[in-house]
Coordinates of all heavy atoms in Angstrom, one line a residue:
Chain B
S219 N -75.5 5.1 -24.9 CA -74.1 5.5 -25.1 C -73.8 6.0 -26.6 O -74.3 5.4 -27.5 CB -73.2 4.3 -24.8 OG -71.9 4.7 -25.0
G220 N -73.1 7.1 -26.7 CA -72.9 7.6 -28.0 C -74.0 8.5 -28.6 O -73.9 9.0 -29.7
G222 N -74.9 11.4 -27.7 CA -74.5 12.9 -27.7 C -74.8 13.6 -26.4 O -74.8 14.8 -26.4
K223 N -75.1 12.9 -25.3 CA -75.4 13.5 -24.1 C -74.2 14.4 -23.5 O -74.4 15.5 -23.2 CB -75.7 12.4 -23.0 CG -76.8 11.5 -23.5 CD -77.1 10.5 -22.4 CE -76.0 9.5 -22.0 NZ -75.6 8.6 -23.1
S224 N -73.0 13.8 -23.5 CA -71.9 14.5 -23.0 C -71.6 15.7 -23.9 O -71.3 16.8 -23.4 CB -70.6 13.6 -23.0 OG -70.8 12.6 -22.1
T225 N -71.7 15.5 -25.2 CA -71.4 16.6 -26.1 C -72.4 17.8 -25.9 O -72.0 18.9 -25.8 CB -71.6 16.1 -27.6 OG1 -70.7 15.0 -27.7 CG2 -71.1 17.2 -28.6
Q271 N -67.3 12.3 -15.0 CA -67.4 10.9 -14.6 C -66.2 10.4 -13.9 O -66.3 9.7 -12.9 CB -67.7 10.1 -15.9 CG -67.8 8.6 -15.6 CD -68.0 7.8 -16.9 OE1 -68.3 8.3 -18.0 NE2 -67.8 6.5 -16.8
D347 N -71.8 15.1 -15.5 CA -71.7 14.1 -16.6 C -71.5 12.7 -16.0 O -70.3 12.3 -15.8 CB -70.7 14.5 -17.6 CG -70.8 13.7 -18.9 OD1 -71.7 12.8 -18.9 OD2 -70.0 14.0 -19.8
E348 N -72.5 12.0 -15.9 CA -72.4 10.6 -15.3 C -71.6 10.6 -14.0 O -70.6 9.8 -14.0 CB -71.9 9.6 -16.4 CG -72.8 9.6 -17.6 CD -72.5 8.4 -18.5 OE1 -72.1 7.4 -17.9 OE2 -72.6 8.6 -19.7
V378 N -76.4 14.3 -16.6 CA -76.5 13.1 -17.5 C -76.3 11.9 -16.6 O -75.3 11.9 -15.8 CB -75.3 13.1 -18.5 CG1 -75.3 11.8 -19.3 CG2 -75.5 14.3 -19.5
H380 N -77.3 7.5 -15.7 CA -77.9 6.2 -15.9 C -78.6 5.8 -14.7 O -79.2 4.7 -14.7 CB -76.8 5.2 -16.3 CG -76.2 5.5 -17.7 ND1 -76.9 5.5 -18.8 CD2 -74.9 5.9 -18.0 CE1 -76.1 5.8 -19.8 NE2 -74.9 6.1 -19.4
Ligands
MG688 MG1 -70.9 10.7 -22.1

Side-chain angles (χ1 to χ4, degrees):
Chain B
S219 177
K223 307 182 295 295
S224 297
T225 306
Q271 179 183 344
D347 192 356
E348 302 196 32
V378 173
H380 293 296

